[in-house]
Amino acid sequence: MIEIKGVSKRFGDFLALDNVSFNIRNGEIVGYVGLNGAGKTTTIRIAVGVLQPDQGDVLINGYSIVHDKRRASRYIGWVPEQPIFEPDAKALDYFVYLAGYYGYSASEARSLGKKLLEEVGLGNALYKKLKEYSQGMKKRFALAVSMINNPDNYLFDEVLNGLDPQGIAFFRDLAVKFRKEGYAVLFSSHILSEVENIADRVVFIHKGRIIREMNIEEIRALIKPILKIKVDRVDDRIKAILDKYGIINIKAREKIVLIEEPSTDSSEIVGVLVKNGYRVEEVSMVKSSLEKVFFKIIGEER
């Protein structure tokens, strides 16, 4: 379990975090959502002991990262957005070097390294130099390193950035696997559709403050159905014709009309359009997204 308790952090005159508090329970994935510069990475770097908070503390399985960092660090794994390693080192050799800090002998570390690098999909790149690794491979390597001490808490900081679909699927499925095994997982990402797909709760941060915390059921209740209609033309009349059927949003360039929470069946709405001389080219039902919920919350905060 990860407990973030009243954490504040300044960089000069800039207040990066303002009394941030939330927790990640065992067997739970918590999405951490905010704009660039909102404080997500600063929170995570404090939680793993890379930064010291000005106020507050983080407890990892009950151990303070501020006052008992050595013990707390045993129970947490971290994959940063941009892992940095010695570029000229070969992957397995560098893994063995890092594992030495955890008390492994060279032979034990080499055996463990082969096992973990194979597990994260790097079995065919054990002897490549890290500078030859792609960004996605570096993140997988960072994951293998974070698993050296077999922690039961993980922090993924924008791990999906720059990944291809296969890499995104790997980290998404891994987070779900960790949840099934009873681990606590904090998952920060700009790809809100992925957060929506896997998170049990979402914590929203804006300008260094937690502005909302919601479970996924609450979020889905805010995600409204939208009727999407593509027509042959968009003119001044169409909004007035459809206004009574819901909240209308017109994308004139694409000749698309969106009706949020339509009050009647799509066939009736299509019939009204046809009766008024429009040719309907495409009809589909879509949903709004966590992204819309996020910007709605930010708007309320402002």
Side-chain angles (χ1 to χ4, degrees):
M1 183 171 179
I2 304 168
E3 300 170 83
I4 298 168
K5 296 175 158 294
V7 169
S8 295
K9 181 67 179 179
R10 280 187 178 275
F11 297 103
D13 293 331
F14 176 64
L15 181 60
L17 294 177
D18 183 7
N19 195 31
V20 167
S21 296
F22 64 96
N23 60 47
I24 305 98
R25 296 183 285 266
N26 296 335
E28 181 182 47
I29 299 172
V30 172
Y32 200 27
V33 170
L35 300 173
N36 281 339
K40 301 186 301 297
T41 294
T42 299
T43 306
I44 289 173
R45 288 169 67 84
I46 287 172
V48 299
V50 172
L51 280 177
Q52 279 282 104
D54 296 329
Q55 293 179 333
D57 200 355
V58 178
L59 303 183
I60 311 297
N61 291 358
Y63 297 107
S64 165
I65 200 73
V66 173
H67 303 294
D68 198 358
K69 179 180 173 182
R70 182 182 293 272
R71 188 172 294 182
S73 297
R74 294 178 189 171
Y75 303 104
I76 196 160
W78 170 43
V79 181
E81 180 180 4
Q82 295 182 323
I84 299 173
F85 302 110
E86 174 54 51
D88 286 316
K90 292 180 180 178
L92 183 57
D93 292 341
Y94 198 62
F95 182 98
V96 170
Y97 165 72
L98 294 174
Y101 287 99
Y102 294 88
Y104 287 91
S105 68
S107 60
E108 290 172 334
R110 188 163 290 274
S111 176
L112 179 64
K114 288 179 179 179
K115 173 179 175 291
L116 291 180
L117 292 170
E118 181 73 39
E119 282 183 17
V120 301
L122 296 175
N124 62 348
L126 298 178
Y127 304 105
K128 276 190 174 183
K129 290 185 176 181
L130 291 168
K131 67 182 178 184
E132 299 171 17
Y133 272 26
S134 67
Q135 186 66 10
M137 293 170 75
K138 288 177 182 175
K139 289 181 181 182
R140 291 180 186 234
F141 183 80
L143 173 64
V145 169
S146 76
M147 296 167 71
I148 289 174
N149 54 333
N150 193 28
D152 54 4
N153 303 279
Y154 282 89
L155 300 175
F156 291 158
D157 186 11
E158 298 287 0
V159 292
L160 304 184
N161 280 6
L163 297 188
D164 59 19
Q166 184 180 10
I168 290 172
F170 171 80
F171 277 98
R172 177 188 63 221
D173 295 345
L174 182 75
V176 172
K177 174 178 176 285
F178 282 165
R179 174 174 60 195
K180 288 179 180 176
E181 293 173 354
Y183 298 169
V185 180
L186 181 65
F187 199 101
S188 96
S189 178
H190 284 108
I191 304 178
L192 300 188
S193 59
E194 291 296 338
V195 174
E196 184 181 335
N197 286 336
I198 66 171
D200 300 294
R201 282 188 295 127
V202 177
V203 174
F204 298 90
I205 184 170
H206 186 56
K207 294 183 177 179
R209 295 193 304 112
I210 304 301
I211 57 172
R212 193 76 60 87
E213 187 174 332
M214 304 171 71
N215 63 45
I216 204 64
E217 289 79 17
E218 291 172 318
I219 289 169
R220 284 174 180 155
L222 294 176
I223 296 176
K224 309 298 185 183
I226 297 173
L227 181 64
K228 177 182 177 183
I229 305 174
K230 185 171 184 180
V231 291
D232 62 328
R233 70 188 188 280
V234 171
D235 53 28
D236 295 337
R237 294 173 57 236
I238 196 164
K239 186 174 187 301
I241 291 168
L242 297 177
D243 251 343
K244 66 180 181 179
Y245 296 110
I247 300 170
I248 309 300
N249 181 17
I250 295 175
K251 298 187 174 183
R253 184 175 296 179
E254 296 95 336
K255 299 178 183 176
I256 287 173
V257 179
L258 301 174
I259 306 176
E260 186 175 319
E261 292 190 272
S263 60
T264 189
D265 187 78
S266 61
S267 60
E268 180 179 336
I269 296 172
V270 169
V272 169
L273 287 171
V274 171
K275 185 178 178 180
N276 282 273
Y278 297 93
R279 187 175 73 248
V280 176
E281 299 178 352
E282 184 181 322
V283 180
S284 61
M285 188 66 76
V286 297
K287 281 190 171 183
S288 67
S289 64
L290 176 58
E291 186 172 355
K292 291 217 170 195
V293 173
F294 170 55
F295 283 110
K296 181 177 184 292
I297 290 170
I298 285 181
E300 291 172 356
E301 175 67 14
R302 285 172 179 163

